[in-house]
Amino acid sequence: MGWSTRQVAQLAGTTLRAVRHYHEIGLLEEPPRRANNYKEYEVRHLVRLMRIRRLSALGLSLEQIAALPAGDVDPVDELDTIDADLAQTIKNLQRIRTEIAAVREHRASVDLPAGFERVASGLTDADRSLITVYSSVFADEAMNDLSEMLPSEMIELDQQFADLAEDADVASRVRLAAELAPGLRAHYAEYPWLADPAPNAAVDSKAALRDAVDQAMTELYNIAQIEVVYRAHLLATDQTDDRLERIEDSDGR
C-alpha cells in the first residue's frame, strides 16, 4: 500500500502545500489513484520529493530544478555556478567583517571609506568629509595610497593648519606653507600620480574630478587654509605665482 499526500509530505519533511505546488508546476509526477480517488504515492515519488528538497537546499531554484534533464543526472554545471556565487558571497562577508572590526578597533566614523580607520583619530571633521568626497571620484588604488600617506595621529603641523583662522596674516600663511611643503614634496616623489590625478579618477572627465575637489575644498576649508595648500603645492613643485608674490610684497610694506 502506498502513501497518502499527507504521509509522503511528512516523510519528505515538507508540506501538503509544497507537494501540491510541485504537481502544479510539473516538478512532481501525479501518482496513481486508489478506488476512492485518493492519491497513492510510491517510492519513486518519495525519492523525487527528496531530490527536490536536496537540490533546493543546495541553492537551486524550483525553475532551475524544473529545467534539469530528465533522469537522475546530477546538475554539475548549475552547482558549479552556485558554488562560485557562494564563494564570492563568503569573500564579501569576510571583507565586511574585517571592515567592521577596523571601525570598532579605531572608533572610526562609518562615513570614512574602508582603509582609513587607522588614521581616523588624526583627521578633523573637514578632513573626513574631504576623504569621503575623494572616495567618490578616485579609484581604489589612489585611495589606498592616500590612506598610506596620512599619519595615524594628528601631528603639530596638521593642528596648526586646522586652527588657521580665515583672517590669518600673510606671514603666518607663508610660514605654514613652507613647513608643509617638504612633506608634500616627499608625497609627490613617492606617489607621482598626485601631480596628475586624472588617470586615477573613478569619474569620466578631468572636469568632473576638478569640480568635485574644488567644491569640497571651498566648502570645507577657509580661504587662508586653501591659500596655504596652494602655496605648499607651489613650493613642493618648484613653481611660483606672481599674484602671491605681489600679496607678500604688499603685506611687507
Side-chain angles (χ1 to χ4, degrees):
M1 180 179 292
W3 298 292
S4 68
T5 306
R6 184 179 301 278
Q7 289 171 329
V8 79
Q10 289 175 340
L11 287 170
T14 188
T15 65
L16 281 171
R17 182 176 180 181
V19 173
R20 288 165 180 159
H21 181 60
Y22 298 156
H23 286 316
E24 290 171 1
I25 64 176
L27 267 184
L28 183 63
E29 176 190 356
E30 287 275 356
R33 292 180 179 270
R34 300 170 183 166
N36 59 6
N37 205 37
Y38 284 105
K39 294 184 180 76
E40 187 173 36
Y41 291 86
E42 302 171 359
V43 170
R44 61 191 174 91
H45 298 103
L46 176 59
V47 170
R48 176 60 177 169
L49 269 177
M50 297 298 288
R51 179 177 173 81
I52 294 170
R53 293 202 64 229
R54 174 64 170 157
L55 292 174
S56 295
L58 290 174
L60 271 71
S61 68
L62 296 182
E63 291 77 11
Q64 288 173 310
I65 297 172
L68 292 175
D72 294 331
V73 178
D74 288 330
V76 176
D77 292 341
E78 289 81 0
L79 292 177
D80 285 346
T81 300
I82 291 172
D83 186 60
D85 290 342
L86 288 173
Q88 186 60 50
T89 298
I90 291 170
K91 183 178 179 180
N92 291 340
L93 291 174
Q94 289 173 334
R95 173 186 56 78
I96 292 169
R97 290 200 68 200
T98 299
E99 292 179 13
I100 289 174
V103 169
R104 293 174 64 190
E105 177 184 356
H106 298 286
R107 296 290 190 266
S109 169
V110 295
D111 292 338
L112 282 173
F116 285 81
E117 298 86 2
R118 174 188 62 84
V119 301
S121 60
L123 301 173
T124 63
D125 289 343
D127 295 337
R128 284 192 285 272
S129 294
L130 181 63
I131 289 171
T132 300
V133 172
Y134 279 170
S135 70
S136 72
V137 294
F138 284 115
D140 291 342
E141 294 81 0
M143 294 303 297
N144 290 338
D145 288 346
L146 290 173
S147 69
E148 292 296 324
M149 295 178 203
L150 298 172
S152 58
E153 299 291 340
M154 184 175 289
I155 61 177
E156 177 60 27
L157 276 179
D158 293 332
Q159 190 63 60
Q160 290 180 32
F161 178 81
D163 294 339
L164 188 68
E166 186 165 1
D167 59 354
D169 57 63
V170 174
S172 297
R173 303 181 193 189
V174 171
R175 175 192 57 77
L176 186 54
E179 293 178 353
L180 289 170
L184 193 56
R185 184 187 293 272
H187 287 326
Y188 286 160
E190 187 172 1
Y191 306 101
W193 67 265
L194 289 171
D196 181 19
N200 288 273
V203 290
D204 294 335
S205 68
K206 287 186 178 181
L209 172 63
R210 184 177 60 251
D211 289 347
V213 174
D214 287 350
Q215 181 170 340
M217 290 292 295
T218 301
E219 292 186 18
L220 296 171
Y221 300 99
N222 64 47
I223 190 64
Q225 291 170 318
I226 294 172
E227 181 185 316
V228 165
V229 171
Y230 180 53
R231 285 179 178 274
H233 167 73
L234 293 177
L235 291 170
T237 55
D238 298 318
Q239 300 179 72
T240 59
D241 188 327
D242 293 341
R243 295 171 300 175
L244 293 180
E245 292 180 356
R246 286 194 293 272
I247 292 174
E248 293 173 31
D249 292 340
S250 175
D251 186 67
R253 287 197 293 269

